[in-house]
C-alpha cells in the first residue's frame, strides 16, 4: 500500500510542482523499494508451509520461513516468484530516472527497458494469480474478495504496461511518446495495486474465520 501510494503520488502534477522534479523522482524510487520488500515477503509466504491456510488458533504459531524454494507446480508460488524480479526491474528504472541529462539511448537502456521488463513480469504474475484461484480465467466471482484482488492486480499490470509503452523516448526528438498517457497509466496502475493491497486484510480475516473450528 505504501509503494502504490508513492507511485500514485508521484504522477500528480500538483505534487511535482510542490516538491520539484528531484524529489518526485525519489518518490518513485522509494515506492519501488516498498514494492520489492512486499513482493519478497509474499514470495516467502508462498513458499513456506504453515504461513498459509491457517485458522485463528494456528495463525500465531511460529514456523520456519524459507528464503528460497523451487515450487514451479504451485501457481501461487509462480505468481510471487514472477512478480519479485519484476519489482527489481522497477528498482533499476526508478533509480536511473533520478539521474539528470540522460540521452535518448541511455534513457532507453536504463529506464525504459527495465520498466518494460518489469511490466511484462507483472502481467505474467497477474495471470498466474488469477489461474491460482482455480475457478477458470474468465469466470466471474463478484462476491469473492480474492477474485477482486487478482483482477485489480491484472488491471494495474495492464495500466503499467500502457505507461511503459507510452514512456518510450523517441531517438529523433528525445521526447517520450505520450507523457500524459504514461502518467495516467502509472496512476491508474498504482491505484489498482493500492486497492488490491487494502483488500488483502479483509480477505485474510475471512479466510482465517472460514478455517476455524
Amino acid at each position: 500500500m505504501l509503494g502504490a501510494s508513492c507511485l500514485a503520488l508521484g504522477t500528480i502534477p500538483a505534487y511535482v510542482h510542490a516538491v520539484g522534479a528531484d524529489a518526485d523522482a525519489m518518490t518513485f524510487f522509494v515506492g519501488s523499494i516498498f514494492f520489492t520488500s512486499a513482493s519478497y515477503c509474499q514470495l516467502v509466504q508462498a513458499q513456506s508451509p504453515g504461513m498459509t491456510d491457517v485458522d485463528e488458533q494456528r495463525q500465531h504459531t511460529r514456523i520456519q520461513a524459507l528464503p528460497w524454494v523451487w515450487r514451479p507446480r504451485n501457481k501461487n508460488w509462480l505468481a510471487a516468484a514472477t512478480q519479485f524480479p519484476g519489482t527489481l526491474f522497477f528498482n533499476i528504472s526508478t533509480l536511473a530516472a533520478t539521474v539528470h541529462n540522460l540521452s535518448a539511448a541511455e534513457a532507453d537502456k536504463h529506464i525504459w527497458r527495465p520498466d518494460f521488463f518489469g511490466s511484462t513480469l507483472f502481467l505474467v504474475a497477474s495471470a498466474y494469480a488469477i489461474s491460482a484461484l482455480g475457478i477458470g480465467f474468465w469466470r466471474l466471482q463478484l462476491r469473492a474478495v480474492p477474485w477482486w484482488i487478482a483482477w485489480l492486480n491484472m488491471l494495474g499490470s495492464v495500466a503499467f504496461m500502457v505507461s511503459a509503452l507510452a514512456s518510450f523516448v523517441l531517438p529523433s526528438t528525445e521526447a517520450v511518446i505520450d507523457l500524459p498517457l504514461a502518467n495516467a497509466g502509472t496512476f491508474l496502475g498504482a491505484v489498482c495495486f493500492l486497492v488490491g493491497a487494502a483488500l488483502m486484510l479483509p480477505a485474510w480475516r475471512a479466510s482465517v474465520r472460514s478455517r476455524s473450528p
Side-chain angles (χ1 to χ4, degrees), residues 7-212:
L7 297 184
L9 181 63
T11 64
I12 299 175
Y15 176 76
V16 181
H17 294 153
V19 302
D22 291 342
D24 184 62
M26 188 55 63
T27 300
F28 281 105
F29 178 64
V30 171
S32 76
I33 296 299
F34 282 121
F35 259 51
T36 300
S37 60
S39 179
Y40 182 68
C41 288
Q42 187 177 27
L43 176 60
V44 171
Q45 182 184 35
Q47 63 197 17
S48 299
M51 278 193 174
T52 57
D53 299 331
V54 297
D55 55 28
E56 290 182 345
Q57 284 71 41
R58 292 187 296 123
Q59 65 171 314
H60 300 296
T61 303
R62 291 183 178 273
I63 66 165
Q64 181 182 3
L66 304 177
W68 177 251
V69 177
W70 180 251
R71 292 186 173 174
R73 295 184 179 181
N74 185 305
K75 293 180 180 179
N76 286 309
W77 181 88
L78 283 171
T82 307
Q83 178 181 261
F84 177 64
T87 66
L88 297 179
F89 278 117
F90 289 140
N91 294 158
I92 296 171
S93 64
T94 53
L95 179 60
T98 64
V99 179
H100 296 288
N101 300 321
L102 292 178
S103 66
E106 291 171 333
D108 169 65
K109 180 179 179 180
H110 301 296
I111 300 177
W112 186 81
R113 291 184 190 180
D115 188 21
F116 177 78
F117 295 152
S119 298
T120 300
L121 288 173
F122 265 46
L123 281 171
V124 175
S126 297
Y128 277 132
I130 292 172
S131 178
L133 296 174
I135 59 174
F137 199 86
W138 299 110
R139 184 179 177 184
L140 296 179
Q141 290 283 312
L142 299 180
R143 295 185 178 182
V145 178
W147 182 89
W148 282 104
I149 294 172
W151 276 101
L152 280 168
N153 283 328
M154 173 59 81
L155 179 58
S157 298
V158 171
F160 267 29
M161 176 58 77
V162 171
S163 175
L165 295 175
S167 63
F168 180 75
V169 178
L170 296 171
S172 58
T173 61
E174 295 198 352
V176 300
I177 293 177
D178 193 327
L179 182 59
L181 180 59
N183 286 334
T186 300
F187 179 80
L188 176 60
V191 170
C192 288
F193 292 133
L194 174 60
V195 176
L199 288 176
M200 290 181 70
L201 186 57
W204 165 73
R205 287 174 175 170
S207 179
V208 168
R209 287 196 300 268
S210 69
R211 294 187 177 93
S212 298

